[in-house]
Amino acid sequence: MNWIILIIAGFFEVGFTTCLKLSNNFTNVKWSIGFLISITLSFILLNKATQTLPMGTAYAVWTGIGAVGTVIIGIVYFNEPATFWRIFFICTLIGSIAGLKFFASH
C-alpha cells in the first residue's frame, strides 16, 4: 500500500511543478492555489510512505516520478524538445526507478 501512496505522492509532485509553471510567478491565483494543494499533498504522502519504506529509496522514487512526469508534461503541453537523448535518459531514469522498486528491502 505504501508504494501506491508513494506513486500518488510523485504524481502530486508533477502537479505542483506544473502548477508552478502555470502560476506565472504566483500571479495567477487559481494555479497558485493548485501549487499549494499539490505540494502539501505530495509531502504528506511522501512522509506517510517513508514510515515503512526505506527513506532513500522512497525519496529517489518520488523525485524520479516527479522528474519523468514533469519532462513528459513539458514535452506534451509546453512544446519542450523531445530529442533522442532526452527520451533516452528519461527511459534510463524510469529503469532506475523500477530497479529501486524491485530491489527494495520492503
Side-chain angles (χ1 to χ4, degrees):
M1 181 65 177
N2 281 315
W3 281 103
I4 293 169
I5 290 170
L6 181 61
I7 291 167
I8 294 168
F11 288 151
F12 276 110
E13 184 182 5
V14 176
F16 80 70
T17 56
T18 304
C19 288
L20 181 65
K21 168 100 172 144
L22 294 170
S23 76
N24 195 27
N25 202 26
F26 298 110
T27 59
N28 183 310
V29 175
K30 177 179 79 168
W31 291 110
S32 298
I33 291 169
F35 168 82
L36 292 172
I37 291 168
S38 295
I39 198 167
T40 300
L41 290 172
S42 184
F43 278 104
I44 287 170
L45 293 171
L46 174 62
N47 181 59
K48 173 71 175 150
T50 59
Q51 292 174 2
T52 58
L53 298 174
M55 181 181 62
T57 300
Y59 182 74
V61 170
W62 178 74
T63 57
I65 292 168
V68 169
T70 301
V71 168
I72 291 169
I73 293 293
I75 290 169
V76 173
Y77 292 105
F78 298 112
N79 297 319
E80 293 178 0
T83 64
F84 169 80
W85 288 111
R86 245 182 136 195
I87 301 302
F88 173 79
F89 286 115
I90 287 299
C91 289
T92 60
L93 185 55
I94 292 168
S96 298
I97 293 166
L100 285 170
K101 162 61 173 110
F102 290 123
F103 295 104
S105 60
H106 291 284

